[in-house]
Amino acid sequence: MQSNRRVSLRAAGRPAVFLAALVLLSLAAAPPLLADRIRNHFDSDSIMRPPGFFDFVVLGAPSEAKWLVLSDRNPPSAPSCAVQVESSRPDASVAVAVRRTYSYKDGVASEFIKMGGSRLGIVLRFVDDRNYLLLLVDGKTGEGVLTSVRDGKSDVIGRGKVATTDTWPKLTIEASGPAIKARLGDAALLEGKDPHPAAGRVGMAAAGAGEARFDELILDSPEIKAQ
């Protein structure tokens, strides 16, 4: 094999050898590429433990929160889902599980939410506990509220409602500059304008009392960066 390689290099001549060297140098110097999609399905996590690769924050009113990976009868990605299990929480308290490592400004985030008595959704463009976007859906009525929080000031920038009979509808939020669009299942939920678009992290959010269940949190953007 070695003699064949030597013969082919001689036959190719110096220009080919020089070109090959340039290609190797360019590959060595190029930064590592990140995937455009980050998927969190929770099926590889240990049951009765917090989901891996997430940071846990409480926004708004101080309160206890507890996130666990649990089994469910029929989640979109069987057999496990992520659950905020602390049920006695004030309405103004939002428990958030933010995906560690990755951030972006423009892109799509989606997750499946289990409808029920709680308010649950997605936190987006999360910079810190004073700067983020929050989309919450009422698990009983399908009413959605999109809130912008910048420098600690909260403004509702979108409202909508979707009637759904799905137990696990897919909640999707798309951000493109100031334009924000959200869907619940196959129906448009709401639109809003983010007055201060900024790159940030994405996560699951549960507000007020009641258990909240999530599955298949997916971040999808060519802008995804590692922090």
Side-chain angles (χ1 to χ4, degrees), residues 113-120 136-143 164:
I113 58 174
K114 190 167 188 178
M115 302 298 279
S118 59
R119 290 181 294 135
L120 66 174
L136 290 174
V137 175
D138 188 310
K140 290 182 178 178
T141 65
E143 180 180 2
T164 178

Side-chain angles (χ1 to χ4, degrees), residues 80-93:
S80 303
C81 60
V83 188
Q84 198 294 118
V85 299
E86 186 64 52
S87 60
S88 300
R89 307 181 65 252
D91 287 344
S93 182

Side-chain angles (χ1 to χ4, degrees), residues 106-171:
D106 294 343
V108 178
S110 64
E111 65 187 8
F112 289 91
I113 58 174
K114 190 167 188 178
M115 302 298 279
S118 59
R119 290 181 294 135
L120 66 174
I122 296 175
V123 65
L124 185 75
R125 292 177 172 174
F126 182 90
V127 179
D128 53 36
D129 61 0
R130 292 173 55 84
N131 297 275
Y132 54 88
L133 295 181
L134 176 64
L135 172 61
L136 290 174
V137 175
D138 188 310
K140 290 182 178 178
T141 65
E143 180 180 2
V145 179
L146 177 64
T147 304
S148 168
V149 178
R150 294 302 175 197
D151 296 325
K153 182 182 178 182
S154 176
D155 293 302
V156 173
I157 59 174
R159 289 183 180 272
K161 185 176 181 179
V162 170
T164 178
T165 58
D166 290 346
T167 303
W168 282 94
K170 185 177 183 179
L171 180 62

Side-chain angles (χ1 to χ4, degrees), residues 176-208:
S176 179
I180 308 294
K181 297 180 180 180
R183 301 182 66 83
L184 184 61
D186 295 328
L189 176 61
L190 56 79
E191 294 187 11
K193 297 291 184 182
D194 180 6
H196 305 288
R201 294 192 287 163
V202 179
M204 304 169 287

